[in-house]
Amino acid sequence: MASARVVSTCLFVALLTCTLRCSQCVKLSNIILILTDDQDVEMGGMTPMKKTKALIGDAGVTFSNAFTVTPLCCPSRSSILTGKYPHNHLVRNNSISGNCSSTTWQKEAEPFAFPVYLNKLRYQTFYGGKYLNQVGNSKYYNYTLSANGKEEKHGDNYEKDYLTDLVLNRSLHFLEERSPSHPFFMMLCPPSPHSPWTAAPHYQQTFSDVKAPRNGSFNMPGKGKHWLLRQPANPMPNSSVEYLDNAYRRRWQTLLSVDDMVEQLINKLDSIKELSNTYIFYTSDHGYHTGQFSLPIDKRQLYEFDIRIPLLVRGPGIKPKLTLQSPVLNIDLSMTILDIAGVNLSTVNMDGQSFLPQMVSAPSLRNGTERPFFLVEYTGEGHSSEDPSCPKLGPGLAECFPDCVCEDAFNNTYACVRTLKDANLQYCEFADNESFVEVYNLTSDPHQLENIVKKVDPALLQIMNQRLIKLESCTGDSCRNVK
């Protein structure tokens, strides 16, 4: 997670569109997307968010089956911006070689990101916080911003520099300065709860007794799993457990500032009389794990703890305290936002689908879905040379943490079909010399402890393989209508 090469990962853009007033125009709704970094939902990641759950979730809808299509920052954020699976936007991981924020991305994908559509629709747009990785990490202090294209360096003064608060303060300023004649879109991307887990000073002593949950797959061996899951020592040494407990607690601490952000933002919308006409989305780029299958801390894996994400939405026409079970994906966010903005979705080349009708339609339609299956894909990263602190592991691995447990490798490259509609199943194939396959029945085995590939009907394996082949080559409408 640390890198010798740290570059700017933060962006602030405020584009105020100047157009003539149209008295006949229908007033479009405002839209806010709050995107956290590494916030899980399976391991209690929403527990600190009491204000957020009350002000967004209780005031609107909570999606209980929201997923990322890839469990890593740069490809996931690229999927959110473009509405496309990684095999279509071609950002594979956080590396330059993996196309993260590359020249190709800037020329071929970025011009079609959904905020560009909104700006063309006279939306006033603001982007604050982390954009794409470019090999660097999220930072809370001592970072460099691109503020409307101008370099802006920040230090370590809490009042002036703490990034979560800076994102909030500049978003409030944007709301003050905007033109009331046109709708606005804001995308707020605080660093929390990504490492280095630097909490605001007044939250650094909270959750002092909190530890990572010990249930489910915590400290379990990776029996029957891909080799990367079989390499950690089991049970974990005390040093790894102490490390992950500290990370778990500090992650929660950083999230308290995000919770404050949500409260202050909603109070501001209320004071300027825009709250009732604003859709507010709260989500994360992917999940996280702390000790599951004896992996200390990270993401990048195919399991529920890494691919499930929080998703709460409030806004016009959404009744309070709804819980919807239909699966939604992060590639659906862009289509949903464009749907709210009145875009003809048939003209948009994206893989996702709008879930706006689920939120505002009659109750009989809410749990229906056109998506019986969906894809999760990831391309592993590794180093060509061995880690000097863990020479026995050899080359080809990455993200090696305490006690020489590595969280990624070149051949940690997989594609999965996930289905909830007729059966709660996950089928995954690895691109390695074993052609390794993992299959889970999440109804009988919600923690994915047993790989049942050798127990299920071979006909089912063939069906899932064919679905996977179709999904891995799908684009646009064919991604939404896989049979």
Side-chain angles (χ1 to χ4, degrees):
M1 299 176 69
S3 172
R5 181 180 171 206
V6 177
V7 299
S8 173
T9 64
C10 302
L11 181 72
F12 278 87
V13 180
L15 300 172
L16 300 180
T17 310
C18 299
T19 56
L20 294 175
R21 228 182 240 194
C22 173
S23 59
Q24 287 78 35
C25 291
V26 176
K27 181 174 174 59
L28 293 171
S29 295
N30 310 307
I31 306 164
I32 298 175
L33 173 57
I34 301 169
L35 178 65
T36 55
D37 196 350
D38 288 12
Q39 187 174 10
D40 69 279
V41 69
E42 287 288 285
M43 312 315 305
M46 285 297 290
T47 303
M49 313 302 292
K50 294 181 179 179
K51 298 171 184 176
T52 300
K53 289 188 287 187
L55 295 170
I56 302 180
D58 289 351
V61 57
T62 298
F63 287 89
S64 59
N65 288 304
F67 295 86
T68 182
V69 297
T70 186
L72 189 62
C73 304
C74 197
S76 175
R77 289 165 183 266
S78 300
S79 286
I80 291 170
L81 289 165
T82 63
K84 293 184 177 183
Y85 280 116
H87 68 262
N88 286 326
H89 63 60
L90 303 179
V91 178
R92 297 297 190 174
N93 48 47
N94 284 351
S95 65
I96 296 296
S97 61
N99 203 32
C100 179
S101 196
S102 66
T103 302
T104 300
W105 157 266
Q106 293 168 14
K107 290 181 178 179
E108 297 181 6
E110 198 169 50
F112 300 99
F114 77 87
V116 177
Y117 285 87
L118 295 177
N119 191 243
K120 291 177 180 177
L121 290 169
R122 304 177 184 174
Y123 270 78
Q124 302 162 91
T125 57
F126 174 91
Y127 194 110
K130 178 176 178 176
Y131 185 54
L132 301 175
N133 294 63
Q134 286 195 347
V135 190
N137 282 339
S138 297
K139 299 186 73 175
Y140 300 77
Y141 295 109
N142 299 308
Y143 50 83
T144 300
L145 299 179
S146 172
N148 281 332
K150 183 178 180 181
E151 185 178 87
E152 184 180 291
K153 293 187 177 182
H154 285 263
D156 57 5
N157 181 285
Y158 170 70
E159 284 75 16
K160 295 191 296 185
D161 301 315
Y162 191 69
L163 184 54
T164 303
D165 292 356
L166 189 73
V167 171
L168 168 65
N169 293 334
R170 299 214 176 168
S171 68
L172 298 179
H173 179 74
F174 169 81
L175 290 174
E176 285 285 350
E177 297 297 315
R178 84 200 190 288
S179 166
S181 301
H182 301 286
F184 60 82
F185 167 73
M186 303 170 68
M187 189 164 174
L188 310 181
C189 303
S192 306
H194 197 288
S195 64
W197 316 302
T198 309
H202 48 286
Y203 287 136
Q204 290 180 0
Q205 304 305 314
T206 56
F207 306 125
S208 58
D209 297 328
V210 167
K211 295 181 178 181
R214 269 36 177 185
N215 59 341
S217 57
F218 180 83
N219 210 2
M220 297 293 287
K223 181 180 178 181
K225 291 176 166 51
H226 190 243
W227 73 269
L228 192 65
L229 273 290
R230 301 195 301 267
Q231 50 97 25
N234 180 264
M236 289 182 288
N238 289 337
S239 54
S240 286
V241 175
E242 291 172 3
Y243 183 87
L244 68 88
D245 276 338
N246 179 58
Y248 190 91
R249 178 172 56 255
R250 293 175 65 190
R251 281 163 52 82
W252 275 22
Q253 291 170 349
T254 69
L255 284 168
L256 292 175
S257 293
V258 181
D259 209 33
D260 290 341
M261 168 197 283
V262 170
E263 180 184 47
Q264 292 188 52
L265 185 63
I266 287 179
N267 287 343
K268 183 65 175 181
L269 292 170
D270 191 31
S271 71
I272 62 175
K273 296 180 169 47
E274 291 286 2
L275 182 58
S276 63
N277 190 42
T278 302
Y279 286 91
I280 305 174
F281 296 74
Y282 183 94
T283 191
S284 173
D285 50 5
H286 48 73
Y288 204 73
H289 58 260
T290 47
Q292 284 61 51
F293 297 118
S294 303
L295 295 172
I297 60 159
D298 203 44
K299 48 268 185 174
R300 295 176 170 84
Q301 308 306 329
L302 57 88
Y303 308 101
E304 297 285 281
F305 41 75
D306 283 359
I307 66 173
R308 281 186 177 267
I309 54 176
L311 178 57
L312 315 176
V313 190
R314 67 172 288 170
I318 303 177
K319 293 183 178 179
K321 296 187 177 180
L322 282 177
T323 299
L324 299 184
Q325 298 178 353
S326 297
V328 293
L329 309 179
N330 63 345
I331 57 173
D332 298 337
L333 288 166
S334 52
M335 291 286 269
T336 304
I337 289 170
L338 294 181
D339 198 4
I340 290 169
V343 173
N344 180 352
L345 299 184
S346 66
T347 65
V348 179
N349 181 24
M350 293 182 177
D351 303 334
Q353 63 190 42
S354 172
F355 54 83
L356 179 62
Q358 292 186 43
M359 298 190 291
V360 300
S361 295
S364 61
L365 300 177
R366 286 189 185 131
N367 285 326
T369 177
E370 297 177 4
R371 182 189 283 115
F373 318 104
F374 59 88
L375 176 68
V376 176
E377 54 187 344
Y378 176 67
T379 301
E381 294 180 72
H383 301 298
S384 57
S385 59
E386 63 189 23
D387 187 327
S389 62
C390 304
K392 66 178 182 179
L393 298 176
L397 295 104
E399 305 301 323
C400 298
F401 283 101
D403 305 302
C404 292
V405 176
C406 297
E407 298 269 1
D408 207 2
F410 281 130
N411 67 358
N412 183 39
T413 297
Y414 57 81
C416 303
V417 177
R418 184 75 170 85
T419 177
L420 286 84
K421 186 177 181 182
D422 298 319
N424 195 5
L425 295 174
Q426 185 181 34
Y427 171 92
C428 302
E429 295 182 0
F430 282 83
D432 60 10
N433 57 12
E434 293 182 88
S435 297
F436 200 81
V437 176
E438 295 187 31
V439 183
Y440 298 98
N441 181 333
L442 286 103
T443 298
S444 60
D445 181 20
H447 300 296
Q448 298 165 286
L449 300 175
E450 182 184 11
N451 179 5
I452 59 172
V453 64
K454 295 180 180 179
K455 295 183 177 181
V456 297
D457 185 344
L460 176 61
L461 297 180
Q462 185 175 8
I463 291 170
M464 298 297 277
N465 169 262
Q466 292 303 308
R467 289 170 179 164
L468 182 59
I469 291 172
K470 290 179 181 179
L471 280 168
E472 285 189 285
S473 61
C474 77
T475 180
D477 188 60
S478 64
C479 298
R480 299 184 282 272
N481 295 296
V482 176
K483 303 298 184 183

